[in-house]
């Protein structure tokens, strides 16, 4: 089955840049998406179609994709950005796939 | 404002069945593709399946672990999405989220999420 691979954890100090990667074989042909999930809450879309930001998402969140790797960048991470982040893409069979998730610690 | 409200979760024995509902509002439900996503306690997100709009054929796709046990349907008049879960296993224990899909065929994603309903499968 198709998989998206993320690092289990990333840690930065407040104000630093956090980068979370996601690798998958179909990413050269499929868009990558990113969700933020804070403890006890439903996920929230923070990046869609590789690099677009939904309304209401702070500008410090950005996305990029190159080859088999998608990257979520949080420039000047804040304490309130501490959360789990999941990448997502659709596979070639028309099914959705989530990465395993990355726990971002900001302290 | 888009709202998705799930209901129907609860405790069920292994081998049992449960039907989840998701009441949608704030958008034209009949035009939307809809998905179910689940999250086992302390684990990551898992795509369960989705249903296209009737205009786009109404076809359904499912993740391998639930295929032939779970069935997604929709009532466009009531703006409600359903997930019929049969032959439940302990590993189906999870929070189940209803989501609205956006994007295009072959490249879809969930743009709005409900708060979820908890399903516990235990004897």
């Amino acid at each position: 089955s198709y998989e998206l691979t993320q690092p289990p954890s990333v840690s930065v100090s407040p104000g630093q840049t956090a980068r979370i990667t996601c690798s998958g074989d179909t990413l050269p042909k499929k868009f990558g998406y990113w969700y933020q999930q804070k403890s006890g809450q439903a996920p929230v879309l923070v990046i869609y179609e590789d690099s677009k930001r939904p309304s209401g998402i702070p500008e410090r969140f950005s996305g990029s994709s190159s080859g088999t790797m998608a990257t979520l960048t949080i420039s000047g991470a804040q304490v309130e950005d501490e959360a789990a982040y999941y990448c997502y893409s659709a596979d070639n069979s028309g099914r959705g796939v989530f990465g395993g998730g990355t726990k971002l610690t900001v302290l | 404002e888009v709202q998705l409200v799930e209901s129907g979760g609860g405790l069920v024995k292994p081998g049992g069945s449960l039907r989840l509902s998701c009441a949608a509002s704030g958008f034209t439900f009949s035009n939307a593709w809809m998905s179910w996503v689940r999250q086992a306690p302390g684990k990551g997100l898992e795509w369960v399946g989705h249903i296209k709009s009737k205009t786009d054929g109404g076809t359904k796709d499912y993740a391998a672990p639930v295929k032939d046990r779970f069935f997604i349907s929709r009532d466009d008049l009531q703006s409600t999405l359903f997930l019929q879960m049969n032959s439940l296993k302990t590993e189906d224990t999870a929070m189940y989220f209803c989501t609205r899909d956006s994007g295009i065929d072959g490249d879809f994603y969930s743009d709005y999420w409900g708060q979820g309903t908890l399903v516990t499968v235990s004897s």
Side-chain angles (χ1 to χ4, degrees):
Chain A
S1 61
Y2 181 59
E3 292 184 352
L4 294 171
T5 302
Q6 299 181 233
S9 62
V10 168
S11 183
V12 297
S13 299
Q16 288 189 326
T17 295
R19 292 184 180 84
I20 300 173
T21 58
C22 172
S23 65
D25 289 341
T26 66
L27 288 177
K29 297 183 179 179
K30 300 285 189 179
F31 285 125
Y33 304 83
W34 291 93
Y35 295 91
Q36 176 195 67
Q37 187 180 32
K38 296 183 178 179
S39 182
Q41 297 183 18
V44 172
L45 180 71
V46 294
I47 294 290
Y48 68 103
E49 293 179 3
D50 290 342
S51 59
K52 298 178 181 177
R53 197 172 50 247
S55 61
I57 300 301
E59 290 183 9
R60 63 180 180 272
F61 288 86
S62 63
S64 62
S65 187
S66 178
T68 59
M69 184 83 73
T71 302
L72 173 69
T73 301
I74 307 173
S75 303
Q78 314 270 315
V79 173
E80 60 261 34
D81 299 331
E82 193 162 285
Y85 290 85
Y86 296 90
C87 64
Y88 165 91
S89 189
D91 69 13
N92 288 324
S93 300
R95 297 177 176 82
V97 180
F98 287 95
T102 299
K103 170 63 179 169
L104 174 66
T105 301
V106 183
L107 56 78
Chain B
E1 178 194 4
V2 172
Q3 287 201 332
L4 300 168
V5 180
E6 303 92 338
S7 61
L11 175 64
V12 61
K13 288 182 167 51
S17 298
L18 206 59
R19 188 195 200 200
L20 306 184
S21 300
C22 170
S25 60
F27 63 99
T28 305
F29 182 80
S30 59
N31 291 343
W33 295 16
M34 301 292 295
S35 286
W36 289 96
V37 177
R38 68 183 181 181
Q39 185 170 37
K43 302 296 185 183
L45 301 173
E46 180 182 22
W47 185 83
V48 172
H50 78 159
I51 183 169
K52 298 180 182 179
S53 64
K54 287 190 170 61
T55 303
D56 290 323
T59 54
K60 305 146 196 176
D61 285 295
Y62 300 93
V66 307
K67 190 171 169 55
D68 299 326
R69 297 189 300 122
F70 289 14
F71 301 94
I72 299 174
S73 60
R74 63 191 299 157
D75 181 340
D76 289 345
L77 292 178
Q78 297 294 324
S79 297
T80 303
L81 178 72
F82 301 101
L83 179 64
Q84 177 67 41
M85 304 184 294
N86 301 328
S87 303
L88 281 161
K89 306 175 181 180
T90 55
E91 52 263 42
D92 295 320
T93 293
M95 183 71 78
Y96 283 76
F97 296 99
C98 163
T99 80
R100 188 187 78 168
D101 286 352
S102 192
I104 59 173
D105 197 0
D107 223 326
F108 62 92
Y109 64 102
S110 298
D111 60 355
Y112 287 94
W113 297 61
Q115 288 302 307
T117 186
L118 181 63
V119 173
T120 303
V121 184
S122 174
S123 55

